[in-house]
Amino acid sequence: MLAENELLQHPGFTSAAELTALPALRVVQPDGQANEELLSRVSDEELIAMYQQMLRVRLFDRKCIALQRQGKMGTYAPFEGQEAAQVASAVCLANKDWMFPTYRDHAAAMTRGLPMQTVYRYWMGQMDGFSVPDELNILPPCVPIATHLLHGVGAAWAARLRDEDTVSFCYFGDGATSEGDFHEALNFAGVFHLPVVFFCQNNGFAISVPFARQSASPTIAKRASAYGMDGIRVDGNDAVAVYLACQTAIHKARNGGGPTLIEAVTQRFGAHTTADDPTRYRDQAAMNEEWRRERDAVQRLRLLLTSKGLWDDNREEQWIAKVGNELVNAWEEAVAKPFSEPIEMFDHVYSKMPAHLEEQKKLLAGGGLA
Amino acid sequence: MAVKQFIEAIHDALQEEMSRDERVFVLGEDVGLRGGVFRVTAGLIEQFGEQRVLDTPLAESAIVGVSIGAAANGLRPVAEIQFADFIMPAVNQILSEAARIRYRSNGDWDCPIVIRAPFGGGVHGALYHSQSVEALFTHTPGLKVVIPSTPSDAKGLLISAIRDPDPVLFFEHKRLYRLVKEEVPEEAYTTPIGKAAVRREGDDITVISYGLALHFALQAAEQLAAEGISAHVLDLRTLRPLDEEAILEAASRTGKVLIVHEDNKVCGVGAEVSALIAEHCLFELDAPIARLCGPEVPAMPFNGNLEREYMLSPAKIADAMRKLAKF
C-alpha cells in the first residue's frame, strides 16, 4: 500500500485534499453522506434514474472494451470513472437542446436517447453508427479537439436569431482547454451573451499529459471570469453536484442569462483508448480500491441511495441482469444489420455526387480500383 | 441591365439573397458599420440590422466555426475572411469540420456555408494582404472552391454558393473589385458551380486560367490575334470540382495548352489541370503542356519592383503564348 503522502507524489493524481482545498461544489461525500438541504432539490426518482443510467453505461463501457479485445469492434475510448459527469449533465437537457459531444461522451449521448445499438455500430466503424434519431440534436462526436465548441456557439447564435430558447451544451476535456478554439468559443459566447454551457470534464490527463502541463492555473472554472461569464467547479464524481450545477446553468442560459463554464473534476480509470497503455505514464496499480472509493461516482451514489432506503442488493442484481440482457440484445441487433460496403465510401461527400466521384464509384462497383 | 463593378455585383448578390431568405446572414470582421474593409457589405447593416450583419471578434476560426454551428441549426451563413491571407487560423474548421460534416454523419447533417475572401496581389498589399490560397482548399474533398472573374459570374456564382447545400469557398481577386465592369442582370440568377466558361474561341493555342490572370490572358489573346495567332481561352470559374469535360475539350481543340495562374506553380491548380490533360488526352497534344505561374517564393514582396515582377501581366502571358504557338 502507498501512504497518502507517497501517492501525492505521482504526477497527475488529484488528492481529495486538493479537491477540498480548491473550492468545488460537492453535495454527496464519498461515504454517501449528503448535504441534505442541497439534496432536497433532487427527487428520489431522479436519483434512482441517474444511478440506473450510470450503472447501465458503466456495464456498456466494459462490454465495449471486451468486444474490442475480441476483435469485434475497432479502437474504443472508455469513459469509466466519468459516469456521473456525463449522465448527470445529460439528464438536464431538454429534447430540443443541442448537444456537442466528443469521442468519449457516448455515455452522455446514450443518456439523451442515442440507441445502444447505434453506439456499438459507431465503434464498429459502420457508416450508420453516426446516425442520430431525428428528434435529437446531437452532433456526431468531435475528434479534432475543441473545434465543436464553436459549433455550439454557432447553434446558439442561430437560436438567438430565431428567438428560440434552446441551449447548446458542449462536452470537452481538460486538454481541449489548451486549444485556440476553446478561447475563441468562450470569447464569442461571452461577447454575445449566448445560451451555451461549456462543460469540461477535467479527468486529469490528455492521453499521457497531466493537467499541470495543460494549465498553470489549478482550475479551469476560474477562466470563465476572463470571458465575462460565470464559472463553477464541481466534484465531477458527485452526480448530485453535477446535476445541480448543470440544471442551473441550462436554466440560466435558456432564460437569457448567458453562458457558463463548468469544470467537473473527475478521472478516467482506464486507458485513453484501447490503443493506449496507461502504465507508461501513470501508476495504474496505485488507483486501487481504496483510491477509487474516494472517487467512484457509481459507488457513491449507490451508498447514498442505500442509506435512503431507495436501493438494495436485490434491486441492484435485477438491474444488472436487465442491463446484461440489453447489452446482448443490442449487440445482436448491431451485428444483424448489414455491414457497410466499400461502395458506400462515395456517398455523402457532397449533396449531389459530382462526375468524378460517380466515375470512381462505378469503377469500384465494376471490380476495378477506385 | 445596369453596368456594375465586380464588387457591386458581389454586394448585390448578398443583398438579394438576404432579402429573399431570412436564414442568410453575413458575419466577419468589420462587415457591419465599416461595411467591410473593401466595402462589399456596405449598407447591409442599415438594411438588415446588426444581428444579420454581424461584426465578430477578430478570430477567424470562430468566424468559420460559428458559421458551421449556425448552419447545423438551420441558417445560411456567409462568412467573410477579411483577407484570404488570414484564413489560416480557420483551416482546421474548414478542412476537418466543414468539409466532412456531411460525410462523418452519414448524410444526417450538412454544412451550407459560404466563406468569402478577397485574395491576390498587385495592390501593394505586401506579404500578408496579397496571397493566393486556393490550392490549400482545392485538395480537399467535400469542399467547393469558386473563383469568379467577371461581375455577372460573381453575382450568379455567389447566389449559387449561398443556395448550395455544401460548403463553398468563394475567392474574390481584390484587384478585380473596381477594375472590371459589365452589364449585370438586375434580378437574382444562378451561375452553375462546376462549369467552366469559354471566354474566347480560337484554334492555335488554348489558355486555361481564372481570376485576374484570366483578364490578362484575354488581353494577351487580343494582342496575339493581331499577330495572326488565334487563342482559345477557358475560364475555370470553379476550381473544385473541376469541369473536366470543358478542360479536355479546350485542350483537344488546339493541342497546345498554357495554364496561367497567379498562385505559385508547385502543386497549384495548374498541376491538376495539367495532369488531367495528360491522363485523358495526351495524344491530342502537339506540344508539352506549359504553365505560367507565380514564382516559388513564400509571399508577394512589399517592394514595388519585386511585386511587379511577381505579378503576371498581359505581356508575360503573351510571351508564353507566342512560345507555345511556335512550338
Side-chain angles (χ1 to χ4, degrees):
Chain A
M1 191 188 82
L2 287 166
E4 196 190 342
N5 56 358
E6 268 182 277
L7 192 58
L8 283 175
Q9 290 161 15
H10 291 276
F13 280 72
T14 314
S15 74
E18 204 179 319
L19 192 66
T20 339
L22 283 170
L25 177 67
R26 181 187 263 185
V27 180
V28 186
Q29 300 297 326
D31 63 2
Q33 295 300 306
N35 174 325
E36 292 297 333
E37 203 282 310
L38 289 174
L39 185 63
S40 70
R41 316 297 177 90
V42 189
S43 73
D44 290 349
E45 292 71 31
E46 285 167 324
L47 289 175
I48 294 168
M50 280 196 283
Y51 176 73
Q52 287 178 324
Q53 177 64 0
M54 282 162 60
L55 187 53
R56 174 177 176 253
V57 296
R58 171 167 291 187
L59 295 169
F60 171 80
D61 193 58
R62 290 178 179 176
K63 171 85 174 172
C64 286
I65 293 172
L67 288 165
Q68 190 279 333
R69 296 288 184 238
Q70 292 162 30
K72 292 176 180 168
M73 284 199 340
T75 302
Y76 174 77
F79 53 73
E80 182 162 339
Q82 301 179 209
E83 293 89 348
Q86 293 194 26
V87 172
S89 55
V91 293
C92 298
L93 290 164
N95 254 357
K96 59 186 179 179
D97 289 333
W98 287 73
M99 179 189 254
F100 298 84
T102 76
Y103 51 83
R104 203 186 303 287
D105 298 315
H106 32 296
M110 286 167 72
T111 302
R112 278 199 82 201
L114 191 66
M116 186 181 281
Q117 187 214 100
T118 306
V119 186
Y120 275 139
R121 285 184 67 87
Y122 172 80
W123 292 103
M124 288 159 73
Q126 304 303 332
M127 300 297 269
D128 62 1
F130 298 93
S131 299
V132 171
D134 285 346
E135 68 278 13
L136 292 176
N137 294 318
I138 306 177
L139 271 285
C142 170
V143 180
I145 310 296
T147 47
H148 64 315
L149 305 184
L150 284 163
H151 308 165
V153 175
W157 178 255
R160 159 80 53 85
L161 280 193
R162 285 200 304 258
D163 208 16
E164 292 169 358
D165 68 348
T166 53
V167 173
S168 289
F169 199 94
C170 302
Y171 288 87
F172 55 100
D174 39 311
T177 65
S178 299
E179 291 277 9
D181 278 358
F182 168 83
H183 161 71
E184 293 198 19
L186 271 76
N187 190 49
F188 202 109
V191 166
F192 295 105
H193 207 60
L194 293 175
V196 187
V197 179
F198 296 99
F199 184 76
C200 178
Q201 292 167 80
N202 182 352
N203 69 12
F205 283 89
I207 305 188
S208 69
V209 179
F211 180 59
R213 280 285 170 102
Q214 301 297 341
S215 171
S217 158
T219 161
I220 291 161
K222 202 172 147 186
R223 297 192 204 173
S225 65
Y227 300 107
M229 69 176 75
D230 295 334
I232 182 165
R233 192 166 187 271
V234 299
D235 180 347
N237 302 325
D238 176 355
V240 181
V242 171
Y243 179 85
L244 289 176
C246 292
Q247 198 183 36
T248 306
I250 291 166
H251 179 81
K252 188 185 75 174
R254 203 183 304 291
N255 293 284
T260 303
L261 172 61
I262 300 175
E263 176 186 11
V265 182
T266 180
Q267 69 292 304
R268 65 171 151 84
F269 287 149
H272 164 67
T273 66
T274 49
D276 174 41
D277 173 9
T279 63
R280 288 187 179 278
Y281 53 84
R282 69 182 184 190
D283 186 356
Q284 285 289 113
M287 298 164 72
N288 56 19
E289 207 176 312
E290 195 182 342
W291 186 88
R292 283 196 184 206
R293 197 173 301 141
E294 283 285 311
R295 294 161 179 81
D296 189 332
V298 177
Q299 193 169 267
R300 191 185 302 186
L301 193 51
R302 188 182 170 196
L303 286 171
L304 174 79
L305 291 177
T306 311
S307 73
K308 301 267 172 214
L310 298 170
W311 198 255
D312 55 31
D313 288 349
N314 193 28
R315 290 191 70 172
E316 176 95 356
E317 221 169 89
Q318 283 173 7
W319 181 248
I320 289 174
K322 192 171 173 213
V323 173
N325 283 334
E326 188 195 3
L327 294 174
V328 172
N329 293 339
W331 176 253
E332 280 169 2
E333 283 168 29
V335 292
K337 286 178 79 174
F339 287 11
S340 300
E341 294 291 334
I343 203 82
E344 291 174 48
M345 188 184 345
F346 301 101
D347 299 335
H348 310 302
V349 180
Y350 293 99
S351 58
K352 187 172 168 287
M353 196 176 286
H356 68 278
L357 280 182
E358 287 278 11
E359 198 184 321
Q360 291 195 331
K361 190 174 179 175
K362 211 183 294 166
L363 279 167
L364 190 66
L369 290 173
Chain B
M1 279 195 288
V3 172
K4 298 271 187 184
Q5 293 177 328
F6 192 76
I7 194 167
E8 291 171 321
I10 295 167
H11 168 274
D12 292 354
L14 289 172
Q15 189 184 34
E16 284 164 26
E17 285 302 282
M18 289 180 78
S19 303
R20 186 189 66 86
D21 182 351
E22 63 175 18
R23 297 172 305 166
V24 179
F25 78 107
V26 302
L27 70 165
E29 295 155 13
D30 305 295
V31 297
L33 288 177
R34 178 72 177 78
V37 294
F38 290 99
R39 305 214 23 92
V40 171
T41 53
L44 296 182
I45 195 167
E46 288 79 5
Q47 189 177 349
F48 300 104
E50 59 177 24
Q51 290 207 325
R52 288 182 69 201
V53 186
L54 182 64
D55 271 328
T56 67
L58 200 166
E60 289 77 12
S61 189
I63 293 168
V64 175
V66 165
S67 297
I68 293 169
N73 198 357
L75 297 185
R76 294 275 174 156
V78 183
E80 177 175 303
I81 299 294
Q82 196 163 78
F83 287 87
D85 312 60
F86 304 135
I87 205 167
M88 302 310 163
V91 167
N92 193 30
Q93 286 289 344
I94 299 169
L95 305 191
S96 307
E97 296 287 358
R100 46 178 97 166
I101 279 184
R102 179 185 297 283
Y103 196 66
R104 72 188 175 97
S105 67
N106 206 37
D108 263 15
W109 298 93
D110 58 9
C111 190
I113 66 171
V114 180
I115 302 165
R116 291 182 38 247
F119 81 105
V123 295
H124 316 306
L127 286 78
Y128 292 98
H129 297 77
S130 302
Q131 294 170 59
S132 298
V133 300
E134 60 271 23
L136 281 174
F137 304 100
T138 51
H139 182 65
T140 301
L143 299 177
K144 294 179 180 175
V145 181
V146 173
I147 299 191
S149 65
T150 69
S152 2
D153 273 2
K155 181 171 173 182
L157 281 166
L158 183 52
I159 292 177
S160 288
I162 293 170
R163 297 181 188 179
D164 198 289
D166 293 312
V168 181
L169 286 131
F170 192 89
F171 293 118
E172 304 155 8
H173 199 293
K174 60 177 85 71
R175 181 94 175 80
L176 291 179
Y177 275 152
R178 293 182 170 82
L179 184 74
V180 190
K181 298 183 188 94
E182 69 176 355
E183 286 197 338
V184 176
E186 298 287 341
E187 72 282 359
Y189 59 92
T190 57
T191 304
I193 291 174
K195 291 280 171 219
V198 175
R199 295 296 182 199
R200 186 188 174 101
E201 304 250 359
D203 301 313
D204 297 329
I205 55 170
T206 295
V207 181
I208 301 177
S209 190
Y210 57 90
L212 175 66
L214 185 272
H215 291 275
F216 292 163
L218 287 171
Q219 289 169 39
E222 195 62 37
Q223 282 177 31
L224 263 67
E227 301 167 23
I229 300 168
S230 157
H232 189 75
V233 181
L234 185 72
D235 180 358
L236 287 174
R237 303 200 288 188
T238 297
L239 305 186
R240 186 176 189 97
L242 281 170
D243 186 348
E244 294 185 15
E245 211 182 315
I247 291 167
L248 300 181
E249 194 182 296
S252 308
R253 176 163 174 153
T254 67
K256 290 182 174 181
V257 181
L258 171 68
I259 304 159
V260 183
H261 54 64
E262 185 177 316
D263 194 9
N264 59 302
K265 187 190 283 183
V266 176
C267 296
V269 169
E272 181 59 28
V273 171
S274 152
L276 270 175
I277 296 169
E279 279 173 351
H280 295 282
C281 59
L282 183 67
F283 299 112
E284 311 279 332
L285 297 183
D286 298 319
I289 299 167
R291 285 182 286 165
L292 181 65
C293 310
E296 291 300 316
V297 298
M300 181 121 14
F302 191 23
N303 179 287
N305 288 332
L306 273 65
E307 181 190 33
R308 218 170 5 261
E309 199 47 50
Y310 186 116
M311 287 297 289
L312 295 167
S313 66
K316 282 187 193 175
I317 299 173
D319 282 347
M321 287 164 75
R322 280 189 202 101
K323 204 170 137 195
L324 183 63
K326 274 188 208 145
F327 185 90

